[in-house]
């Protein structure tokens, strides 16, 4: 019996990127589905776009389950709405979150699923992402928030993760549920990872760089300092949280003088 994978995509006014993302997903999943080991469904939620994204996806990809966000939402709030409906409709073995602005590397989805199999489908697995210049900017993180470079061959553990390319097995989803969208930006995924840690759900980084952002874009909305402070307390304790808060304030207030 094949394992089912639900791919979740949220977009707002990124029509061409959404189309490219779905095309890339279809190319990669065709090979996987032909093996009989996996089956796939793609769900897309349009978050109040005005560039025709909704109609374009409906017309080009009738097999994609397309939804509209319930009013203007943050990206993660819309994704949460989609994820909730998908989880109530399809009891999938995996949920794969993909930011449509990403350019997936060939074999990225295969890499995530093969490493999940290696880990007995027990771990949440983050994919590492580069910017257009080849700099590592998203993926798995250590306790104090610093990015961890992926190993080239094997999956490695992390404390928490970013949510731009993330595989969540059903076993983990049953334990930790949906992300809490009272947070914003990075801290939504970071807190989701922290909940996974507290529930003893393994958090891992897939080998290699699995995607990149091909353009200079605002990758994620910024997290308010108050939310970063709360996360730091939960993750690393009050002393680190206070130090990190004041270091961030000083960095933002004092101009960076370059000669």
């Amino acid at each position: 019996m094949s394992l089912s994978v639900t791919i979740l995509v949220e977009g707002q006014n990124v029509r061409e990127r959404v189309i490219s993302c779905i095309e890339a997903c279809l190319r990669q999943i065709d090979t996987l589905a032909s093996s009989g080991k996996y089956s796939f469904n793609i769900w897309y939620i349009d978050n109040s776009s005005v560039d025709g994204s909704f109609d374009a996806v409906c017309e080009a990809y009738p097999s994609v389950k397309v939804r509209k966000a319930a009013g203007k939402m943050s990206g993660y709030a819309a994704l949460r709405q989609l994820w909730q409906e998908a989880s109530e409709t399809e009891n999938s073995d995996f949920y794969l979150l993909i930011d449509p602005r990403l350019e997936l590397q060939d074999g990225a989805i295969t890499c995530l699923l093969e490493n999940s199999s290696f880990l007995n489908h027990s771990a949440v697995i983050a994919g590492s992402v580069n910017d257009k210049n080849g700099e590592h900017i998203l993926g798995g993180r250590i306790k104090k928030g610093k990015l961890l470079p992926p190993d080239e061959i094997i999956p490695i553990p992390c404390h928490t993760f970013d949510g731009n390319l993330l595989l969540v097995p059903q076993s983990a989803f049953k334990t930790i549920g949906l992300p809490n969208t009272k947070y914003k930006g990075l801290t939504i995924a970071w807190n989701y990872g922290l909940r996974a840690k507290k529930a003893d759900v393994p958090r891992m980084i897939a080998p290699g760089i699995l995607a990149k952002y091909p353009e200079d874009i605002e990758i994620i909305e910024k997290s308010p300092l108050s939310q970063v402070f709360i996360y730091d307390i939960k993750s690393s304790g009050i002393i680190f949280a206070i130090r990190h808060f004041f270091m961030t304030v000083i960095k933002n207030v004092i101009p960076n003088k370059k000669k």
Side-chain angles (χ1 to χ4, degrees), residues 100-236:
R101 297 169 297 176
L102 288 174
E103 186 176 283
L104 294 176
Q105 299 293 325
D106 291 341
I109 296 176
T110 297
C111 177
L112 287 165
L113 290 170
E114 286 183 348
N115 280 276
S116 182
S117 179
F118 175 73
L119 298 164
N120 297 315
H121 302 310
S122 62
V124 178
I125 304 179
S128 298
V129 176
N130 280 354
D131 67 10
K132 72 170 190 175
N133 299 315
E135 182 179 350
H136 182 208
I137 54 172
L138 295 168
R141 296 179 180 269
I142 64 172
K143 188 174 183 180
K144 295 183 179 180
K146 184 179 179 182
L147 275 169
L148 273 171
D151 188 88
E152 289 300 316
I153 299 173
I154 61 172
I156 59 173
C158 57
H159 180 77
T160 190
F161 42 73
D162 301 310
N164 300 57
L165 181 59
L166 192 69
L167 182 70
V168 182
Q170 180 64 232
S171 59
F173 180 71
K174 285 181 178 179
T175 302
I176 55 180
L178 295 163
N180 186 341
T181 52
K182 74 177 182 181
Y183 298 98
K184 290 184 178 181
L186 282 171
T187 54
I188 295 177
W190 292 358
N191 275 279
Y192 195 60
L194 192 59
R195 280 167 51 195
K197 178 182 181 300
K198 290 181 177 179
D200 292 324
V201 173
R203 289 89 50 224
M204 305 293 289
I205 308 169
I209 299 296
L210 299 189
K212 70 175 182 179
Y213 283 100
E215 303 165 351
D216 283 327
I217 55 177
E218 185 178 346
I219 297 170
I220 41 179
E221 56 185 307
K222 293 181 179 179
S223 301
L225 277 179
S226 59
Q227 293 185 359
V228 175
F229 182 71
I230 292 170
Y231 169 79
D232 283 341
I233 291 175
K234 293 179 179 179
S235 177
S236 304

Side-chain angles (χ1 to χ4, degrees), residues 15-27:
R15 175 177 171 172
E16 298 307 317
R17 297 309 310 164
V18 168
I19 295 297
S20 294
C21 176
I22 293 174
E23 286 283 357
C25 287
L26 289 172
R27 285 196 302 271

Side-chain angles (χ1 to χ4, degrees), residues 10 40 59 82 87 91 139 141 179 181 202 208 222-223 239 246:
E10 176 274 334
F40 295 87
E59 182 178 345
L82 185 69
S87 68
N91 189 30
R141 296 179 180 269
T181 52
K222 293 181 179 179
S223 301
I239 294 175
F246 281 107

